[in-house]
Amino acid sequence: MANTISSETMDYVGILAKLELSLEEKEAARKDMERMLDYIDQLNELDTSQTEPLSHVFPVNNVFREDVVTNGDEREKILKNAPEQKDGAFKVPKTVE
């Protein structure tokens, strides 16, 4: 453990994150990042060989309904509202030259 992050690495992270940090802020961020890396190392020591991988904490089932057509073909009814129609479709003015 005891991860150490160099000042060059902190400068590079600051550039990537587009942050301008003071020396005190860089030092505080460096200590926070070192603590995070130490914690990750601690988690990596755990034996997870008997643990099932999961994508969600709770069991999730597909909650989508079946895709069923409910209104059918109402083309004639819809085209009654069209000011102009041609070949079973709305006829509109040309918009692209």
Side-chain angles (χ1 to χ4, degrees), residues 7-21 26 33:
S7 60
E8 291 84 16
T9 302
M10 285 306 300
D11 291 339
Y12 183 64
V13 169
I15 291 169
L16 290 176
K18 297 183 180 183
L19 296 174
E20 293 182 20
L21 301 174
K26 282 184 187 178
M33 290 174 74

Side-chain angles (χ1 to χ4, degrees), residues 25-41:
E25 292 170 327
K26 282 184 187 178
E27 184 62 25
R30 185 185 61 77
K31 287 181 182 178
D32 286 343
M33 290 174 74
E34 288 175 351
R35 281 196 298 270
M36 285 186 258
L37 291 173
D38 287 341
Y39 184 69
I40 291 170
D41 286 343

Side-chain angles (χ1 to χ4, degrees), residues 55-67:
S55 61
H56 200 278
V57 177
F58 301 107
V60 177
N61 298 323
N62 188 353
V63 294
F64 299 113
R65 63 172 171 76
E66 288 294 319
D67 190 14

Side-chain angles (χ1 to χ4, degrees), residues 2 5 15 21 41 45 50 53 59 63 69 73 82 87-88 92-93 96:
I5 298 175
I15 291 169
L21 301 174
D41 286 343
E45 293 174 4
Q50 302 298 320
V63 294
V69 176
D73 184 18
D87 300 327
V92 295
V96 179

Side-chain angles (χ1 to χ4, degrees), residues 58-92:
F58 301 107
V60 177
N61 298 323
N62 188 353
V63 294
F64 299 113
R65 63 172 171 76
E66 288 294 319
D67 190 14
V68 179
V69 176
T70 57
N71 59 350
D73 184 18
E74 297 182 353
R75 178 186 304 230
E76 295 301 320
K77 184 178 172 185
I78 293 169
L79 286 174
K80 285 182 183 177
N81 295 320
E84 291 186 56
Q85 53 180 298
K86 179 180 178 184
D87 300 327
F90 286 92
K91 184 177 178 185
V92 295

